[in-house]
Amino acid sequence: MEKEISATSRRNVLKTIGAGAAAAFTLGRLFQPEAFAQQEPAAATRMRTFTGPGANPYWNSVGKIATFPQKAPLIMLTDRPVQLETPRHYFLDPITPNDAFFVRWHLESIPNEVDLYSWRLSVEGNVNTPLQLSFSDLLRKFKPVTIAAVDQCSGNSRSRFQPRIAGGEWGNGAMGCARWTGVHFREILDMAGIKSGSIQVQMEGLERGKGPKGMPSYEFKKSLDLNNPVLDESIVAYAMNGEPLPMLNGFPVRLIVPGYFATYWVKCLSWVRLLDKPDENFWMNPGYRVPDTPRGDTSPADVKAGKVKMVPITRMPVRSFIISPDGDTKIPAGLPVTIRGTAFSGSGPVVKIEFNDSAHGTWRAAELGEDLGPYAFRTWKIEWTPRRAGTYQLAVRATDAKGNVQPDEGVWNPGGYLWNRIERQEVTVGAAE
Ligand SMILES: Nc1nc2c(c(=O)[nH]1)N[C@H]1C(S)=C(S)[C@@H](COP(=O)(O)O)O[C@H]1N2
Ligand SMILES: [Mo]
């Protein structure tokens, strides 16, 4: 297969635009022509600067809105690598639209286009029969499966960390939920036949870039243990919400690892490799490791003293969010308001969502929205009538099926991962005449 990746530059960002749309169009002919009849010709990258975060905790510190190929205007953290955050209001819906879905790449040179006719998914390494699967092999030789699942960056909400951690300064928008359609990863592995002595499966994406120690070329590679039950639920997805994946979200296929942080959800998945030794590449070690403590919590002092044992990050802790109202909404005293939000957990379904209108008040159960499955967003709502004018600290907390409840303390670890503290939204209630 071809490994055509050009160096990223301003010019190439623009080139991405046209090529991304072209790649999607190629897929359209093969897959879902209707979806593409409506595809807009990609617009040029536009940017405008906003004044500041105001009372909206979903705003990141950069405060720039950018429009990338196949994407709605999103909050841009960096353009090389591309890091785009989903604006808050999209989370009122349990499914995040493809064009609003957040974007995170690590390497500067990301694929501009993928020619589906020459593209192959290689399955190699410690296997009986190495495979070269075409896109149509994936469509025709396997039974399609669909699962709704949340894709969340390990560093979502990193901007909350104290002491501060350098890295993508995400607000709460480095997450999204889509219906992913594809092939059970296990079926592909079975087709190749895993040789005895294999211990991990490695996934590699198409992009290349400068490596950790300034290495001129580096790949994005992640691995999972073959005895990890999460592999039984993992999917090689070729569709996202019934449409081809946007180029920036991993066209033509990506791995879906339900319940696990997005770092394993390798985009533009093109090589699957069976390993007989543990993967020690940068993205597995030291990348994406968390302290081996119950919450993945530690302190800068303990890290400095070399006291902390680090292990690969795995499942996402339970989280919930107040999406509406935001801090800018004017609320009159005495009138009922509907508070709305979303929740999810990497350990099975969210079973309870509770709302509180002050730091010391009682928690009231909220009404759960549509159930799209254990790994999807679960929206919620509750009616609230503030009696008096003043400032209120609205809070939400979720409990999952394993009994995990969101804590009221932040977490700290050197990667800026695993944030799941109870979220609060300050609102101002005005006197009603
Ligand atoms: N090929 C490739 N896949 C990747 C990454 C990457 O840099 N390259 N980043 C991972 C991380 S850390 C995140 S948060 C998600 C982001 O997925 P999205 O861009 O579709 O939102 O992709 C994951 N898969
Ligand atoms: Mo991430």
Side-chain angles (χ1 to χ4, degrees), residues 104 106 153-154 288:
R104 203 277 187 250
H106 290 81
C153 181
S154 314
Y288 287 97

Side-chain angles (χ1 to χ4, degrees), residues 348-361:
V350 166
V351 293
K352 189 163 67 174
I353 297 171
E354 297 163 293
F355 167 79
N356 204 328
D357 67 3
S358 80
H360 312 288

Side-chain angles (χ1 to χ4, degrees), residues 58 175 220 258 306 323 332 336 408:
Y58 288 68
M175 60 177 189
F220 187 77
I323 303 302
D408 208 359

Side-chain angles (χ1 to χ4, degrees), residues 101-107 151-154 170 174 180 204-207 220 240 248-250 254 262-269 288:
F101 212 93
F102 85 101
V103 173
R104 203 277 187 250
W105 291 88
H106 290 81
L107 300 177
D151 175 22
Q152 185 193 209
C153 181
S154 314
W170 300 108
W180 310 96
E204 180 179 334
L206 267 182
E207 81 274 29
F220 187 77
M240 178 176 178
L248 287 168
N249 297 105
R254 82 180 297 176
T263 178
Y264 299 98
W265 298 39
V266 175
K267 302 191 279 189
C268 301
L269 174 66
Y288 287 97

Side-chain angles (χ1 to χ4, degrees), residues 72-315:
L74 299 177
I75 305 162
M76 189 179 77
L77 275 66
T78 55
D79 63 351
R80 271 163 292 171
V82 184
Q83 297 192 85
L84 308 171
E85 179 164 344
T86 301
R88 176 175 182 161
H89 69 270
Y90 285 105
F91 300 115
L92 287 173
D93 198 313
I95 293 295
T96 317
N98 290 4
D99 67 351
F101 212 93
F102 85 101
V103 173
R104 203 277 187 250
W105 291 88
H106 290 81
L107 300 177
E108 289 189 1
S109 304
I110 57 175
N112 289 341
E113 63 182 319
V114 175
D115 173 9
L116 274 193
Y117 294 99
S118 58
W119 177 86
R120 295 289 180 274
L121 175 61
S122 301
V123 186
E124 56 190 42
N126 212 30
V127 293
N128 295 323
T129 319
L131 304 176
Q132 292 277 313
L133 298 170
S134 69
F135 193 80
S136 70
D137 287 339
L138 293 175
L139 293 185
R140 296 199 198 108
K141 294 190 178 162
F142 301 88
K143 194 165 104 353
V145 284
T146 298
I147 182 173
V150 172
D151 175 22
Q152 185 193 209
C153 181
S154 314
N156 193 22
S157 315
R158 182 180 286 124
S159 57
R160 313 276 178 269
F161 274 75
Q162 286 301 332
R164 204 177 169 86
I165 308 247
E169 295 303 309
W170 300 108
N172 289 342
M175 60 177 189
C177 178
R179 286 192 184 85
W180 310 96
T181 302
V183 175
H184 272 302
F185 194 28
R186 279 275 189 213
E187 288 185 27
I188 295 176
L189 300 180
D190 288 349
M191 187 182 261
I194 301 174
K195 273 196 193 161
S196 66
S198 307
I199 58 168
Q200 286 189 331
V201 56
Q202 185 184 60
M203 293 75 66
E204 180 179 334
L206 267 182
E207 81 274 29
R208 295 292 179 269
K210 265 191 243 124
K213 288 164 204 134
M215 278 185 257
S217 170
Y218 207 73
E219 311 86 37
F220 187 77
K221 292 183 291 205
K222 293 294 297 188
S223 293
L224 288 164
D225 289 346
L226 284 172
N227 63 9
N228 187 338
V230 81
L231 278 184
D232 302 332
E233 293 188 279
S234 300
I235 290 172
V236 172
Y238 47 71
M240 178 176 178
N241 294 326
E243 290 183 10
L245 279 66
M247 192 73 243
L248 287 168
N249 297 105
F251 178 86
V253 303
R254 82 180 297 176
L255 194 70
I256 304 306
V257 189
Y260 268 48
F261 274 109
T263 178
Y264 299 98
W265 298 39
V266 175
K267 302 191 279 189
C268 301
L269 174 66
S270 299
W271 293 271
V272 170
R273 211 164 284 125
L274 277 297
L275 308 179
D276 57 9
K277 285 186 211 55
D279 187 352
E280 295 288 337
N281 100 82
F282 177 80
W283 307 113
M284 291 298 294
N285 192 9
Y288 287 97
R289 293 206 163 213
V290 292
D292 191 13
T293 58
R295 274 190 79 200
D297 195 26
T298 185
S299 67
D302 281 359
V303 171
K304 215 169 168 193
K307 284 193 199 157
V308 189
K309 183 185 169 212
M310 303 292 277
V311 292
I313 197 167
T314 59
R315 287 189 185 272

